[in-house]
Amino acid sequence: MNIIVCIKQVPGTTEIKIDPKTNTLVREGVKSIINPFDCYAVEEGVRLRERYGGKVSVITMGPPQAEEALRETISLGADEAILLSDRAFAGSDTWATSYVLSRAAAKIANYDLIICGKQTLDGDTAQVGPGVSEMLKIPFIAYVSKIEEIKDKYIKVQRMVEEGYEVIEATLPAVITVVKEINVPRLPSLRGTMKAKSAKIPVWNAAEIGVEADKAGIPGSPTRVVKIFYPKRTHKSEIFQGSLEEQVGQLAERLEKMV
Amino acid sequence: MEYFLTEQQKLIKSIARRIAEERILPVRAELDEKEEFPWEIIKDIANADLFRIFIPEQYEGMGEGSFALVIAVEELSRACAGVSLTYAADALGAFPILLYASEKQKQQYLPVIASGAKLTAFGLTESGAGSDAGAIKTTAKKDGDSYVLNGTKQFITNGGEAEIYTVIALTDPTKGSRGASAFIVEKGTPGFTFGKKEKKLGIRCSATRELVFHNCRIPKENLLGREGMGFIVTMKTLDSSRPGVGALALGLAQGALEAAVAYARQRVQFGHPVSSIQAVQHMLANMAMELEAARALVYATAKTIDSGAKNFTEEGAMAKVFATDMAMKVTTDAVQVFGGVGYMRDYPVEKMMRDAKINQIYEGTNQVLRNVIALELLRRKGLRE
């Protein structure tokens, strides 16, 4: 059972600051953490390894300092961790990120399962998990709250839906995204922390994973961020009147003005 | 105060602290209220490798010794002395094996203890043998390739929950304490059952139970050391474990002091926080001073043991007595600083005060240990090396 877990290093705060010039997150002075949903993904990967044997490989795409997050996953039981880092990756949106991660998974090869957190704390899109599965052309299951069993190249899981859960089977290899209900992540162990301190974290660049330059980073990202801003705090409230269509029209008009 | 912790010791401290704050703190009141054994937390402690620190490396431990154990016990106890005691009592049950087991016995038992997969317990006390440990009545009669145990042990920490028990029984009742021997008895052995679970004043999530032996037959290979060594095994085991009791007291007092300071800063009377009242300040200052003095003594004792000292009976007794008397006083004063609400179960300090008391009683009452200290003191004519 070889498992790949995709993680992201995110600012460990709910008070996100945005640089008005670049429309990107201000990371200075904010402690970075592993995206909390990804901690459940790492834990589930380690538990599956403990149950079925095999290996847990953690990957992240990010700047050199993301190595710190990868090291932490080793203290939590991961067997190896690989940093995907290249200037060509900078500015990737969820599409380009999914592409880069899928290339790395293809290079690792021989995987049975890819686990991601359901979404990140900063981007909140929940698009990268499904994106990776599309690019690898393998099945995808979102919001997994329990892995019931894995056998004969099949996985059977419970996935959260609005009213209760569904039980779904998929062939392996597959991609799943997990929710916090799936487990309680362990704390780092002494042996794991010592192993993490001396672990070698390989860095793979675009060429090494066969990423085509125009498919990653800003050139590879169809998303265009026009403007990011905080809504002004006002205590004025306004209730739109009229028919539903009229109300929607008024709302759309307002939103357009804000941008 | 700088105690010059190594990188490894700092790591042990930070991992134990995370378990205390993230896993123990949210549930300690509930565990106390329900008198529920903290299995989930024990699993966390095991997963974090903390059961490995007091086991040598060749038996899948980490060989970190007494000081590391003291640091871990203190951090856990800062959140809950009941949980911390469960952990410390596992070390207590392991010490007879660490100190006196044959290579074969060590290979068999220490790796599983190091992993935390099985807990241990130490069985000495009986209804008629508390401070007078030589008065035990449990017997172990040799019968061919076995020993047959009969008798009842009382107040055994981790009783019922542990899988591996180190038990003191008389192989020759005519010789009194010189006829005592130490044995390893595994849970599930026919004739070995558990009596009533005690309902206690404090440390209520820890299990305290009777061990009942009725024609319990164990292989003769389960003897620790030789016949007649039971009393020596007991004394050396308790010498080794007492700094751990001191550490338990340190953590309790640290938790109580932190709670008292935080409360004094926010409780307003006469228009000011009560922390501005000199009478309260002096109480807090005394608590802090006595705690730090006890910490220095407990740490120094543990480091003495780790340095390879042969005899540390006196130091171990001093560390235990001084720290546990301190913790009783500090936790009681913490309740006083809180005033009326401190007496209520809504706040943590009344539990700390209840948890503190037992530390002056078990592993040698503080009165018996003063006898021990005095004996050693008179033997060395009060002189210092």
Side-chain angles (χ1 to χ4, degrees):
Chain A
M1 187 78 197
N2 291 328
I3 298 156
I4 298 175
V5 179
C6 305
I7 69 160
K8 184 181 183 186
Q9 195 180 40
V10 297
T13 175
T14 47
E15 289 167 26
I16 302 277
K17 289 194 183 75
I18 293 156
D19 184 329
K21 281 183 191 149
T22 59
N23 282 328
T24 54
L25 291 173
V26 176
R27 294 184 186 274
E28 285 75 39
V30 183
K31 195 178 178 283
S32 293
I33 58 166
I34 300 174
N35 175 45
F37 289 111
D38 300 347
C39 294
Y40 303 105
V42 172
E43 175 68 25
E44 201 59 24
V46 172
R47 286 187 189 191
L48 288 176
R49 191 225 25 230
E50 286 169 351
R51 206 156 73 190
Y52 299 105
K55 196 166 85 169
V56 177
S57 313
V58 180
I59 56 174
T60 193
M61 185 190 84
Q65 61 264 32
E67 185 199 288
E68 190 194 338
L70 289 173
R71 228 171 255 290
E72 194 180 331
T73 67
I74 289 178
S75 77
L76 297 168
D79 298 286
E80 62 171 16
I82 302 148
L83 175 63
L84 316 174
S85 198
D86 195 309
R87 284 195 175 279
F89 302 160
S92 292
D93 67 357
T94 55
W95 179 277
T97 303
S98 303
Y99 168 67
V100 171
L101 293 173
S102 70
R103 294 311 303 159
K107 178 172 164 123
I108 291 171
N110 283 330
Y111 54 85
D112 301 289
L113 187 65
I114 299 178
I115 313 178
C116 308
K118 72 160 179 164
Q119 65 196 54
T120 58
L121 203 62
D122 53 354
D124 259 345
T125 66
Q127 290 169 353
V128 170
V132 170
S133 81
E134 279 299 312
M135 288 172 186
L136 291 168
K137 306 216 180 319
I138 56 175
F140 171 71
I141 308 172
Y143 309 136
V144 172
S145 55
K146 188 180 181 186
I147 294 176
E148 288 195 347
E149 73 176 359
I150 292 177
K151 71 177 183 198
D152 306 330
K153 288 283 165 189
Y154 268 91
I155 184 169
K156 188 175 170 189
V157 305
Q158 292 180 9
R159 80 181 277 262
M160 300 256 292
V161 289
E162 273 179 25
E163 293 166 359
Y165 63 87
E166 294 172 351
V167 177
I168 288 191
E169 277 188 8
T171 54
L172 294 177
V175 180
I176 63 171
T177 63
V178 298
V179 293
K180 70 172 173 17
E181 286 74 10
I182 196 164
N183 57 45
V184 178
R186 72 196 62 194
L187 297 172
S189 68
L190 270 171
R191 280 178 164 182
T193 309
M194 286 158 66
K195 193 180 155 205
K197 271 186 185 167
S198 58
K200 284 215 162 51
I201 312 278
V203 182
W204 290 353
N205 61 26
E208 282 169 288
I209 53 177
V211 161
E212 297 167 41
D214 60 342
K215 285 191 178 173
I218 291 168
S221 299
T223 310
R224 288 289 170 271
V225 180
V226 182
K227 188 180 174 187
I228 297 180
F229 61 96
Y230 282 106
K232 282 209 181 81
R233 275 179 190 274
T234 58
H235 295 284
K236 274 192 288 182
S237 63
E238 192 180 336
I239 298 168
F240 298 127
Q241 306 283 345
S243 70
L244 184 63
E245 284 76 16
E246 284 165 356
Q247 289 182 46
V248 171
Q250 291 169 43
L251 178 63
E253 202 177 308
R254 280 304 169 83
L255 290 173
E256 215 163 278
K257 272 188 198 158
M258 289 169 112
V259 185
Chain B
M1 209 69 82
E2 175 58 59
Y3 288 109
F4 303 101
L5 269 59
T6 62
E7 282 305 311
Q8 191 77 345
Q9 288 157 354
K10 284 180 191 163
L11 186 61
I12 289 165
K13 184 174 169 173
S14 76
I15 283 178
R17 180 166 289 202
R18 275 194 73 176
I19 292 173
E21 291 180 349
E22 294 178 31
R23 301 289 208 251
I24 303 177
L25 212 55
V27 297
R28 68 175 172 191
E30 190 187 341
L31 289 172
D32 178 60
E33 192 74 29
K34 293 186 177 165
E35 306 190 33
E36 191 180 300
F37 192 79
W39 268 120
E40 285 300 313
I41 300 165
I42 292 303
K43 278 182 208 155
D44 288 329
I45 294 172
N47 282 337
D49 296 326
L50 289 183
F51 285 111
R52 295 187 195 279
I53 63 177
F54 53 86
I55 305 287
E57 281 172 291
Q58 64 264 43
Y59 309 106
E60 290 175 38
M62 299 180 77
E64 287 291 322
S66 182
F67 188 35
L69 178 62
V70 158
I71 291 168
V73 169
E74 180 184 358
E75 286 300 331
L76 297 175
S77 173
R78 178 170 159 264
C80 177
V83 173
S84 190
L85 172 65
T86 302
Y87 171 70
D90 181 78
L92 171 68
F95 278 130
I97 301 174
L98 280 167
L99 297 170
Y100 290 97
S102 66
E103 187 54 36
K104 192 162 170 265
Q105 289 168 326
K106 286 182 179 176
Q107 293 288 358
Q108 186 180 349
Y109 291 103
L110 293 180
V112 68
I113 295 171
S115 75
K118 290 182 178 179
L119 284 179
T120 79
F122 180 61
L124 169 67
T125 299
E126 297 179 8
S127 60
S131 294
D132 183 9
I136 58 167
K137 293 277 191 293
T138 297
T139 55
K141 202 173 167 199
K142 187 96 178 264
D143 181 27
D145 285 343
S146 324
Y147 285 97
V148 178
L149 271 65
N150 277 291
T152 301
K153 295 291 173 183
Q154 195 185 36
F155 301 155
I156 305 307
T157 304
N158 289 353
E161 309 295 337
E163 303 275 335
I164 301 162
Y165 295 79
T166 44
V167 175
I168 309 299
L170 298 172
T171 38
D172 186 349
T174 60
K175 286 189 184 163
S177 63
R178 270 183 236 160
S181 304
F183 299 93
I184 300 170
V185 187
E186 293 187 45
K187 186 180 178 176
T189 308
F192 175 24
T193 54
F194 303 102
K196 71 168 174 165
K197 192 174 173 191
E198 305 292 346
K199 298 184 90 63
K200 306 187 292 289
L201 171 71
I203 52 163
R204 289 169 52 163
C205 74
S206 90
T208 311
R209 249 174 122 163
E210 284 176 340
L211 312 182
V212 183
F213 300 101
H214 182 72
N215 293 330
C216 172
R217 187 175 289 272
I218 56 169
K220 71 175 193 322
E221 291 75 28
N222 287 21
L223 174 70
L224 277 168
R226 295 188 310 276
E227 276 192 23
M229 280 179 71
F231 212 64
I232 303 275
V233 172
T234 300
M235 291 303 125
K236 293 292 176 190
T237 291
L238 294 173
D239 284 351
S240 299
S241 70
R242 281 186 189 120
V245 182
L248 227 133
L250 298 180
L252 255 173
Q254 180 66 37
L257 177 63
E258 287 172 21
V261 170
Y263 186 78
R265 285 166 61 99
Q266 57 103 1
R267 167 68 173 171
V268 174
Q269 289 288 274
F270 309 107
H272 300 284
V274 298
S275 60
S276 65
I277 299 169
Q278 198 176 46
V280 173
Q281 288 179 351
H282 284 189
M283 278 178 87
L284 294 173
N286 281 330
M287 289 158 79
M289 264 191 312
E290 287 162 26
L291 168 56
E292 207 55 55
R295 183 174 282 128
L297 178 56
V298 172
Y299 284 11
T301 302
K303 287 182 174 184
T304 301
I305 296 173
D306 289 342
S307 75
K310 287 231 161 50
N311 183 6
F312 41 84
T313 302
E314 186 183 354
E315 293 89 335
M318 282 180 170
K320 192 269 188 187
V321 171
F322 190 81
T324 59
D325 281 351
M326 175 282 296
M328 192 68 245
K329 184 162 184 299
V330 167
T331 54
T332 306
D333 284 349
V335 173
Q336 194 70 22
V337 170
F338 270 70
V341 299
Y343 199 72
M344 304 302 153
R345 290 197 201 166
D346 304 329
Y347 288 84
V349 285
E350 60 81 31
K351 172 185 180 291
M352 292 168 177
M353 183 177 158
R354 286 187 283 111
D355 287 351
K357 186 63 211 175
I358 188 60
N359 292 285
Q360 295 178 302
I361 300 171
Y362 59 24
E363 298 209 29
T365 65
N366 285 8
Q367 289 68 36
V368 150
L369 292 181
R370 283 183 167 88
N371 293 353
V372 169
I373 295 165
L375 201 66
E376 296 286 325
L377 180 67
L378 293 168
R379 188 175 292 162
R380 66 181 166 92
K381 302 189 178 71
L383 299 171
R384 189 166 172 269
E385 268 178 34

